[in-house]
Amino acid sequence: MAADTPTDRGGDGSTQVTTSVARRIQSGREHDFVAWTDAGIALARTFPGFLGGGWLRNSRIDDEYYVVYRFADEQAMDDWVRSPVRKAWLSRGEGVAVEYATHRLSGIEGWFEPQQHLTNAVRVHGDAGAPPPRWKQAITIWLGFFPLSLAVNLLLISHLHALPVAVTTLIATLVNTPLMVYVVLPWLTARLHRWLD
């Protein structure tokens, strides 16, 4: 069954939520786990706000897998998590795998894909992988931060020269921070996703 590839990267991506669930597979049940997980992703695909999902195998621990889901926002994720459809699907997985950790990322944590513990996983199925190298993350942040800071300084701070430096810095950071988190970085990472992968 083909992996679900996101066709919508969440519009401006500002509220995307990524959840990874760590599971240990019962001995000899790998094929059952794959079929069961693919069925769960297919069910999640039918929920509004679903952006993609997949599974990864830990490169060091044979029976450990991560299942990753991405939704457009917290509400869409919660609708899936609390749904009777998901509960019925989970009950069909009893005896196949045991869930032992769940991580949910949003906002700044989700800019660069799933969390750090997935760097030890092998990408075997799906659209989720390890974060890009830190130097790529730094370049991406700089590409957003420099023009935004320049614009804010030229359009706003330059007109506030009578105020103390601490006040103008406070104003600049109050303007820059939400714009970076909710507009600039989601927009940039959506456009640079091939380079960041």
Side-chain angles (χ1 to χ4, degrees):
M1 181 173 185
D4 198 39
T5 303
T7 56
D8 174 5
R9 289 196 170 254
D12 67 2
S14 60
T15 59
Q16 289 183 8
V17 180
T18 301
T19 294
S20 82
V21 180
R23 290 192 168 99
R24 294 220 187 248
I25 311 309
Q26 298 299 321
S27 180
R29 302 294 303 268
E30 181 174 308
H31 293 294
D32 294 334
F33 170 78
V34 169
W36 173 70
T37 300
D38 285 345
I41 292 168
L43 290 170
R45 188 186 306 126
T46 67
F47 278 68
F50 180 74
L51 301 179
W55 53 263
L56 305 102
R57 186 178 65 229
N58 191 313
S59 60
R60 295 182 298 184
I61 304 172
D62 288 341
D63 66 346
E64 184 174 87
Y65 284 73
Y66 303 105
V67 180
V68 182
Y69 299 97
R70 179 171 291 162
F71 282 83
D73 54 40
E74 292 276 353
Q75 184 60 54
M77 176 70 79
D78 288 341
D79 288 346
W80 160 248
V81 168
R82 296 183 180 134
S83 70
V85 170
R86 180 176 175 271
K87 287 179 182 153
W89 168 73
L90 285 173
S91 70
R92 291 195 303 272
E94 288 179 12
V96 174
V98 176
E99 179 178 323
Y100 69 91
T102 300
H103 301 279
R104 185 180 288 201
L105 300 176
S106 60
I108 191 168
E109 299 170 302
W111 284 341
F112 297 108
E113 300 298 327
Q115 55 274 19
Q116 192 62 38
H117 77 268
L118 292 183
T119 59
N120 293 325
V122 175
R123 182 174 172 171
V124 292
H125 191 72
D127 68 310
R134 293 224 180 239
W135 65 270
K136 287 188 177 184
Q137 296 180 35
I139 289 171
T140 303
I141 291 169
W142 181 85
L143 286 172
F145 189 71
F146 175 74
L148 179 62
S149 296
L150 184 61
V152 168
N153 280 311
L154 290 174
L155 300 173
L156 179 62
I157 302 304
S158 63
H159 302 290
L160 304 175
H161 52 78
L163 296 175
V165 172
V167 175
T168 57
T169 303
L170 174 66
I171 292 169
T173 56
L174 286 172
V175 172
N176 281 337
T177 302
L179 286 174
M180 281 291 287
V181 170
Y182 294 108
V183 179
V184 177
L185 277 172
W187 184 85
L188 265 177
T189 54
R191 277 141 193 84
L192 297 176
H193 70 92
R194 290 183 187 277
W195 179 68
L196 289 167
D197 283 346

